[in-house]
Amino acid sequence: QKEVEQDPGPLSVPEGAIVSLNCTYSNSAFQYFMWYRQYSRKGPELLMYTYSSGNKEDGRFTAQVDKSSKYISLFIRDSQPSDSATYLCAMKRVSSASKIIFGSGTRLSIRP
Amino acid sequence: SAVISQKPSRDICQRGTSLTIQCQVDSQVTMMFWYRQQPGQSLTLIATANQGSEATYESGFVIDKFPISRPNLTFSTLTVSNMSPEDSSIYLCSVEAETGNNEQFFGPGTRLTVL
């Protein structure tokens, strides 16, 4: 079993829709949770960074962490064609502060 | 966030040869990392490169195959040695922000194809 599971998609939604991207994980030691966005032929770009459980909002993006269920989500409101990219969840333990474990990524396409 | 550049951006190489990838950061950083992203897959950490010490390799990666240099706080190189088609991948360097909040930022990647 992988430490981090992420549905690879592809996920296609119309412009303006709310997008929900999710990951599950198996290791309860993860404390830092991240979402990266990766456009084709580019490096990953850090979108959201949260510590422990709870919600974090930044513009149209909301990250949720539910440690009791070992489940994290990224919501994108009012989705735009420019949001079309691969979204990678990632997480790391406090004890290994720098090693990040990535999900496999979900490919998202926003239809105009 | 740090601005990270990599050279080359892409290359096509012959089996058995070696390629050195450069990573340059616009600010001094303590921790630099090298990742591999194989086609359609996620990122896998190859090694951690700290200035003034030997690189630390992850399970499945060895120094003879992926030698790393870290001569100063803004630069690192990764060499992919004795390449085979299985080494075809995107190689990415990343750095940890010096802000103390453990954020990592990535370079644009080097797309390597081995024939």
Side-chain angles (χ1 to χ4, degrees):
Chain A
Q1 183 190 8
K2 291 182 182 177
E3 281 192 284
V4 180
E5 297 276 2
Q6 184 175 7
D7 187 336
L11 179 62
S12 179
V13 302
E15 183 175 356
I18 296 175
V19 176
S20 172
L21 304 168
N22 310 294
C23 287
T24 59
Y25 61 95
S26 57
N27 192 331
S28 58
F30 288 131
Q31 293 281 1
Y32 298 96
F33 302 92
M34 293 142 279
W35 286 93
Y36 284 84
R37 178 175 62 195
Q38 186 173 23
Y39 291 113
S40 181
R41 301 180 183 275
K42 301 284 187 185
E45 168 195 9
L46 182 62
L47 264 183
M48 302 288 281
Y49 182 96
T50 55
Y51 174 73
S52 197
S53 282
N55 294 358
K56 184 175 183 179
E57 188 173 320
D58 184 0
R60 296 184 294 110
F61 298 89
T62 300
Q64 283 186 354
V65 175
D66 181 348
K67 291 190 69 182
S68 62
S69 302
K70 298 190 181 66
Y71 189 86
I72 70 170
S73 301
L74 177 71
F75 297 96
I76 307 174
R77 292 183 298 281
D78 187 25
S79 56
Q80 305 293 312
S82 58
D83 295 327
S84 299
T86 296
Y87 290 80
L88 298 144
C89 66
M91 46 201 79
K92 58 186 177 183
R93 307 169 187 84
V94 172
S95 61
S96 177
S98 298
K99 180 176 178 179
I100 298 178
I101 307 298
F102 284 87
S104 55
T106 299
R107 195 147 42 101
L108 173 66
S109 176
I110 308 297
R111 307 189 301 268
Chain B
S1 65
V3 177
I4 306 166
S5 60
Q6 286 185 234
K7 288 182 184 179
S9 59
R10 61 192 308 146
D11 208 343
I12 300 173
C13 300
Q14 296 296 320
R15 179 196 299 261
T17 62
S18 298
L19 176 72
T20 295
I21 302 168
Q22 299 179 7
C23 179
Q24 180 77 51
V25 189
D26 69 341
S27 58
Q28 294 186 337
V29 293
T30 302
M31 304 193 76
M32 294 181 77
F33 309 89
W34 287 98
Y35 286 83
R36 182 171 72 183
Q37 186 175 28
Q38 294 183 304
Q41 297 192 26
S42 190
L43 285 78
T44 302
L45 181 64
I46 297 171
T48 302
N50 295 336
Q51 196 266 339
S53 63
E54 298 258 338
T56 303
Y57 289 82
E58 296 298 309
S59 176
F61 298 97
V62 295
I63 187 170
D64 290 347
K65 176 67 176 177
F66 297 102
I68 288 171
S69 79
R70 182 78 200 274
N72 57 50
L73 292 173
T74 63
F75 187 79
S76 178
T77 67
L78 169 77
T79 299
V80 186
S81 303
N82 188 25
M83 288 184 284
S84 67
E86 292 71 37
D87 295 319
S88 297
S89 188
I90 300 172
Y91 291 86
L92 297 131
C93 73
S94 79
V95 304
E96 185 170 278
E98 295 290 305
T99 56
N101 58 8
N102 297 317
E103 294 177 339
Q104 278 194 26
F105 301 97
F106 283 82
T110 296
R111 184 176 294 266
L112 171 63
T113 302
V114 184
L115 303 177

